[in-house]
Amino acid sequence: MSAISERPPAAAASAQRPTSISQLPGPKESLVLGHLLQLKVSRLHLQLEGWARTYGDTYRLRVARQQIVVISGTEDIAAVLRARPDTWSRPRNFASIARESDAYGLFAAEGDEWRRQRRMVMAGFDPEHLRNYMPTLTRVTRRLRKRWIVAAHAKKVMDLQDELMHYSVDAASGIAYGLDINTLENAQSELHDNLKHMFPMVFHRMNLPFAYWRYVRLPSDIAHDRRIATLHRIIGQIIAQGRERLRQHPERREQPTDLLEAMLAARDADGSALSESDIRGNVFTMLTASEDTTANTLAWTFYLLHEHPEAWERLVEEARAVLRDAPVAQALDELRQMPYAEACASEAMRLRPVAPLLILDAVRDTAIRDVHIPHGTRLYLLMRPGAVDDAAIEAPRAFIPQRWLADGAASVHSPKRLSMPFGAGPRLCPGRYLAMLEIKLVLSMLARDFQLLEVGTPDGTPPDEILEFTMHPVGLHLRLGTDAGMPAD
Ligand code: HEM
């Protein structure tokens, strides 16, 4: 079932403004566990959006003793995201859970530790470095094209999510640590087969009220430990290879060809470098933060383009005009000439954000508008309602990419202000430009040479949304067409 949220009616706000969390509206709760038994983690964002339609922009939940405030007003969300790391942190159990899983990198770090890591890790994302990653991205995109030409000639029905995950795994592995894993052409990768279970497990543990696994090991916890040990070994080897490359090619300290080289070469202003465990945690973080997010965003964009032939036609025109004889873009400058492809992705992210829920904790007493928020309160930020608010944006639930091409980012009605798919403030996603490059490479390759014959679920209903740290569509298949004589290279 499609579930794009609507804004709550203004009448939902109480006449008398609340000043403490207990005065906020919220669904009925049980005495001891609060709302715990009502929350379904895999559909949490949909459930929370549904309650927002009943209880308004700001409402209250409780899980055992944990007070939770849920907010969906764009201005409130932006203000909270800007007030990090000093007022708000990621959930306080997240850092320890990430550490136990060897996943403690930029996403999990807090305070001064986060500031230090952010300065150094960001070095790998500057525009000059992005240019150096293009050969890897072009190679992987060509491979995907070849695979899809074979599939189109064979009239094969593909699993869309699976195809895009292979692509983003190969792209992320190349960019993050310079390895050509090639899951598009070869069998499984030991690294990714283990990696793909890690963030869902971290997300699951983060949402439990009690860290049972520190006392009792269930089979799923034992399997998790085994995966961590395997990942620790593989990532250790990857880092050793990165060090060896820098030793053999010292010039890459200035011109790194992947994120690992950039991290190994990075030095803070005081000359300190990232530690071995910082690097391990960040190799892990870059892979997990980039793969599902990019693949899921592409999957939703394909789906929406298939539903909107007029948008698809415009994308085809742009791709053919920019790429001409080249089947895949080779240079950053070509991708910069594709505003419509970018608009399609931005519009897909507005309607189907793959991070529809951000969870934070108050690290000090604070306030949201006039609601007093004590230290330790948990905050659920709903990222979609403000971006599909009919009071703020015209035809809010329609897929209209060209709305992103209009000037007026300064207007409060601009989608650029209402939609925050990459977060906001100091912890804004550092991989956003890289993600857009990947997305534009795939969309332009697709539009230049293929027809989108089918993108849908087996029974033709709109795809359901599942939240497993990131949100993805369920059960989409893909069938492509291409000219009979289309060469694969
Ligand atoms: C379409 C693709 C992507 C989406 C929608 C996305 C979305 C997000 C969001 C919502 C956040 C949280 C921001 C916040 O707390 O304000 C985030 C953080 C982060 N993302 Fe992305 N992301 C994408 C791609 C990538 C890529 C390609 C990379 C790296 C190669 C990456 C690395 C990170 C990291 C390291 C953080 C943590 C930053 C921090 O806490 O300082 N992301 N991303």
Side-chain angles (χ1 to χ4, degrees):
M1 205 186 69
S2 158
I4 293 173
S5 63
E6 288 160 19
R7 280 283 260 203
S14 75
Q16 208 186 350
R17 303 280 296 165
T19 52
S20 78
I21 294 176
S22 61
Q23 290 172 275
L24 288 172
K28 267 202 164 113
E29 60 188 271
S30 77
L31 197 60
V32 179
L33 296 178
H35 299 93
L36 176 67
L37 300 180
Q38 294 175 57
L39 301 178
K40 303 274 170 287
V41 173
S42 65
R43 302 180 59 81
L44 191 55
H45 67 298
L46 296 175
Q47 215 174 2
L48 298 172
E49 287 175 358
W51 278 328
R53 288 195 282 277
T54 308
Y55 300 107
D57 270 357
T58 309
Y59 64 93
R60 162 186 77 77
L61 294 175
R62 181 170 64 81
V63 168
R65 294 199 334 232
Q66 175 69 66
Q67 291 287 356
I68 301 171
V69 175
V70 186
I71 63 171
S72 47
T74 309
E75 297 294 319
D76 293 340
I77 289 179
V80 164
L81 292 177
R82 280 196 302 269
R84 293 178 295 171
D86 297 331
T87 305
W88 299 96
S89 69
R90 302 232 183 265
R92 58 191 168 283
N93 55 352
F94 186 72
S96 59
I97 292 171
R99 256 188 225 286
E100 287 168 348
S101 300
D102 230 0
Y104 184 80
L106 188 60
F107 196 90
E110 292 297 340
D112 288 342
E113 174 62 31
W114 168 79
R115 285 192 183 86
R116 189 180 68 87
Q117 286 204 19
R118 178 105 184 171
R119 274 196 300 274
M120 287 197 261
V121 170
M122 284 308 286
F125 290 96
D126 74 28
E128 202 39 55
H129 291 164
L130 291 186
R131 197 177 293 280
N132 296 338
Y133 306 151
M134 276 302 285
T136 300
L137 290 178
T138 301
R139 184 184 65 234
V140 178
T141 312
R142 271 181 175 271
R143 220 177 255 160
L144 181 65
R145 178 179 176 275
K146 189 170 158 191
R147 177 178 164 108
W148 283 355
I149 286 179
V150 173
H153 287 156
K155 301 187 169 41
K156 187 172 164 195
V157 176
M158 298 176 276
D159 177 329
L160 176 60
Q161 195 70 18
D162 210 41
E163 291 296 304
L164 296 172
M165 272 311 284
H166 280 302
Y167 171 78
S168 70
V169 160
D170 285 5
S173 318
I175 286 169
Y177 49 78
L179 282 195
D180 191 4
I181 295 237
N182 198 358
T183 63
L184 279 167
E185 288 177 352
N186 300 328
Q188 309 291 297
S189 134
E190 192 188 15
L191 173 65
H192 288 89
D193 292 345
N194 285 289
L195 202 60
K196 70 182 175 211
H197 297 280
M198 297 300 287
F199 256 123
M201 185 61 156
V202 168
F203 185 55
H204 169 71
R205 286 183 170 179
M206 195 181 89
N207 283 297
L208 293 175
F210 173 64
Y212 77 84
W213 65 93
R214 293 187 186 139
Y215 308 94
V216 184
R217 316 295 293 166
L218 300 178
S220 57
D221 301 304
I222 295 167
H224 184 64
D225 289 345
R226 220 177 294 124
R227 289 193 191 105
I228 294 169
T230 308
L231 285 171
H232 191 93
R233 171 178 55 77
I234 301 175
I235 290 180
Q237 288 163 358
I238 289 169
I239 294 173
Q241 287 164 5
R243 287 198 194 287
E244 181 55 24
R245 283 200 302 280
L246 281 188
R247 204 183 57 75
Q248 287 183 12
H249 305 279
E251 73 286 357
R252 290 199 188 171
R253 291 190 165 276
E254 298 301 321
Q255 291 284 326
T257 59
D258 56 61
L259 285 172
L260 173 60
E261 290 177 4
M263 282 192 273
L264 289 169
R267 299 247 155 217
D268 208 354
D270 63 3
S272 65
L274 288 164
S275 72
E276 197 68 19
S277 87
D278 288 345
I279 290 180
R280 212 172 34 244
N282 278 304
V283 167
F284 186 106
T285 299
M286 293 311 151
L287 293 175
T288 39
S290 64
E291 289 172 1
D292 295 32
T293 47
T294 310
N296 298 349
T297 299
L298 272 167
W300 283 117
T301 312
F302 276 39
Y303 172 70
L304 289 162
L305 283 167
H306 178 255
E307 296 283 293
H308 296 85
E310 66 302 335
W312 168 254
E313 283 310 320
R314 193 162 163 189
L315 179 69
V316 169
E317 265 171 46
E318 181 183 86
R320 292 190 176 154
V322 176
L323 293 181
R324 296 168 191 243
D325 297 336
V328 170
Q330 315 263 358
L332 223 48
D333 296 339
E334 286 168 283
L335 296 174
R336 289 196 177 120
Q337 294 166 45
M338 296 182 188
Y340 195 71
E342 182 153 339
C344 290
S346 300
E347 185 67 345
M349 288 192 279
R350 183 181 71 82
L351 295 169
R352 305 288 195 167
V354 301
L357 169 65
L358 295 183
I359 306 179
L360 302 177
D361 283 349
V363 290
R364 53 163 71 152
D365 287 0
T366 180
I368 295 176
R369 297 197 185 236
D370 59 353
V371 183
H372 174 66
I373 306 282
H375 168 238
T377 304
R378 180 149 294 183
L379 201 57
Y380 284 172
L381 306 179
L382 297 183
M383 305 304 285
R384 177 160 52 187
V388 293
D389 176 7
D390 33 0
I393 192 164
E394 223 172 285
R397 278 164 286 279
F399 178 74
I400 308 177
Q402 56 271 30
R403 70 169 98 231
W404 291 84
L405 303 178
D407 279 343
S411 152
V412 286
H413 302 296
S414 162
K416 292 176 189 153
R417 288 186 59 149
L418 298 170
S419 177
M420 294 179 269
F422 294 108
R427 300 198 76 148
L428 178 65
C429 172
R432 61 199 181 283
Y433 295 123
L434 185 55
M436 272 299 183
L437 290 189
E438 285 182 42
I439 290 169
K440 284 158 80 174
L441 266 162
V442 173
L443 291 181
S444 54
M445 173 275 281
L446 178 78
R448 180 183 179 273
D449 290 333
F450 294 92
Q451 298 104 41
L452 271 185
L453 299 181
E454 277 180 58
V455 183
T457 55
D459 61 3
T461 54
D464 207 352
E465 298 183 351
I466 291 290
L467 188 66
E468 286 178 316
F469 206 68
T470 59
M471 183 278 279
H472 62 85
V474 182
L476 281 181
H477 62 231
L478 168 71
R479 193 162 63 82
L480 294 173
T482 193
D483 294 351
M486 180 65 71
D489 271 313

